[in-house]
Amino acid sequence: MNTVDKQYQGFLRKLIMYGKDKEDRTGTGTISYFGETFRHDMSNGFPLLTTKKMAVKTMMTELKWFLKGDTNIKYLVDNNCHIWDGDAYKAYPHKDKLTQKEFINKIKTDWEFARVWGELGPIYGKQWRNWFGYDTNVNPYSVDQISELIKNIKENPSSRRLMVSAWNVGEIDKVVLPPCHYGFQCYVSDGKLSLMWNQRSVDTFLGLPFNIASYGMLLLLLCEETNLKPGELIGSLGDVHLYKNHLEQTHEQIKRDSFKLPTIELSNVDVLNGEFDYEIKDYEYHPTIKAPLSN
């Protein structure tokens, strides 16, 4: 049974019926409510929405980028993933000289330009793979949280400390955008690995479908590394909102019937180098619904 689309469409309906008007940093305007939970048993299929076609390659490229510890958009641009273009361009101080399209083309063709202006600060990848802090003697240190997580799942699966955080308080002011999905926790029981991610800000129409599939994929990758079976995928969602320029698209998606969830086959998995191959099988879906991204 496909409860992924059912839950997701329920969130959309709840927003339309009960969401309150709320201002936001982009100036677009939203309707919003606070506090929601998403749950999916991974044995029922890969959590990819079927009520609209998902940009799977874009989502997978971003996840690889996170796992590599990369914080520069050049890798994304080189792999035709453009979901962070607007954030990078927004931080560029010479917009009078380059349009966003010209800026992104220069990121792709000029490594020195990309090195300076493609950098987004210590966002997800940096915190996942190279968390920076100070010990009690004020000596700097770094932690590869993904490596430590895999090690701890293998060596101490009953631990309640199987966690990764992207919310590094000491570096929040250095990023172009504070992390929306700011941490996740793993749980092992009966030979199965479950994952719960926490998200402070939920762009329900564009962002949440990506978050669900991305963390579902991360769970499967961690299972490959730890020889565990996938259990539950859980999302703990804070400010659940819908941008007002997504209302027409939302009404369209709510009307659509879902299909059976697809499955996925993985190969050449190397989590610590941010590499994996995948094949989505039996993915049946409704057409894409385009909507503008607010930065």
Side-chain angles (χ1 to χ4, degrees):
M1 178 184 295
N2 180 356
T3 62
V4 173
D5 280 281
K6 184 176 180 181
Q7 289 180 80
Y8 177 74
Q9 288 173 311
F11 301 159
L12 295 179
R13 288 189 183 93
K14 189 172 177 180
L15 279 162
I16 290 172
M17 290 189 294
Y18 305 114
K20 302 296 184 181
D21 286 349
K22 193 173 184 182
E23 296 179 359
D24 70 285
R25 65 176 177 82
T26 72
T28 307
T30 69
I31 52 176
S32 167
Y33 69 86
F34 187 60
E36 189 60 88
T37 301
F38 167 86
R39 298 188 83 104
H40 173 61
D41 184 337
M42 293 293 288
S43 67
N44 290 328
F46 186 67
L48 201 59
L49 291 187
T50 69
T51 46
K52 67 178 178 183
K53 183 182 180 182
M54 293 284 294
V56 177
K57 184 177 184 297
T58 297
M59 181 270 294
M60 296 293 187
T61 298
E62 184 193 43
L63 180 57
K64 289 180 180 181
W65 182 62
F66 290 160
L67 290 169
K68 289 176 183 294
D70 200 348
T71 57
N72 193 294
I73 66 165
K74 182 164 175 56
Y75 174 84
L76 299 178
V77 171
D78 288 347
N79 287 279
N80 200 32
C81 176
H82 296 285
I83 53 182
W84 285 88
D85 288 4
D87 295 289
Y89 184 66
K90 189 175 181 180
Y92 181 59
H94 308 297
K95 299 183 187 67
D96 56 322
K97 297 181 180 179
L98 294 175
T99 65
Q100 181 168 319
K101 185 176 180 180
E102 292 169 337
F103 172 80
I104 295 304
N105 187 59
K106 200 165 178 64
I107 292 286
K108 189 167 187 175
T109 58
D110 186 337
W111 169 247
E112 187 57 31
F113 181 85
R115 184 185 66 80
V116 177
W117 300 115
E119 182 58 45
L120 301 179
I123 57 170
Y124 299 98
K126 167 67 164 57
Q127 304 306 336
W128 283 15
R129 302 304 308 275
N130 188 22
W131 174 285
F132 179 80
Y134 294 92
D135 64 18
T136 53
N137 295 316
V138 201
N139 296 312
Y141 71 97
S142 68
V143 178
D144 182 342
Q145 294 190 84
I146 298 296
S147 179
E148 286 294 307
L149 174 67
I150 292 170
K151 178 174 179 274
N152 289 329
I153 290 172
K154 291 178 178 178
E155 296 180 357
N156 189 13
S158 294
S159 174
R160 294 188 288 269
R161 302 175 185 180
L162 304 175
M163 301 178 68
V164 170
S165 177
W167 194 271
N168 189 337
V169 176
E171 295 191 313
I172 287 293
D173 62 345
K174 301 174 184 176
V175 300
V176 295
L177 180 69
C180 294
H181 43 103
Y182 58 88
F184 63 92
Q185 180 177 356
C186 290
Y187 178 87
V188 180
S189 178
D190 297 327
K192 293 183 178 181
L193 178 67
S194 294
L195 182 151
M196 179 174 69
W197 85 91
N198 295 284
Q199 190 161 343
R200 65 172 181 86
S201 176
V202 186
D203 174 358
T204 307
F205 189 79
L206 287 180
L208 183 56
F210 264 57
N211 302 135
I212 292 170
S214 182
Y215 276 105
M217 185 64 175
L218 179 59
L219 173 54
L220 294 180
L221 293 172
L222 292 172
C223 286
E224 288 286 317
E225 291 283 352
T226 58
N227 293 316
L228 293 166
K229 293 181 179 180
E232 273 197 298
L233 176 67
I234 305 165
S236 180
L237 312 176
D239 186 324
V240 180
H241 55 266
L242 191 65
Y243 285 102
K244 290 185 176 180
N245 56 358
H246 295 168
L247 287 171
E248 182 179 346
Q249 295 91 329
T250 295
H251 282 288
E252 170 60 31
Q253 191 165 359
I254 286 174
K255 293 187 298 185
R256 295 178 172 182
D257 294 327
S258 62
F259 298 109
K260 183 179 177 181
L261 289 177
T263 58
I264 188 168
E265 284 192 7
L266 304 180
S267 58
N268 303 317
V269 174
D270 185 355
V271 172
L272 297 183
N273 283 311
E275 292 294 340
F276 55 85
D277 294 323
Y278 64 91
E279 182 181 358
I280 304 289
K281 294 193 169 185
D282 302 317
Y283 184 32
E284 190 175 2
Y285 48 80
H286 288 273
T288 300
I289 306 177
K290 294 185 178 181
L293 177 64
S294 296
N295 292 118

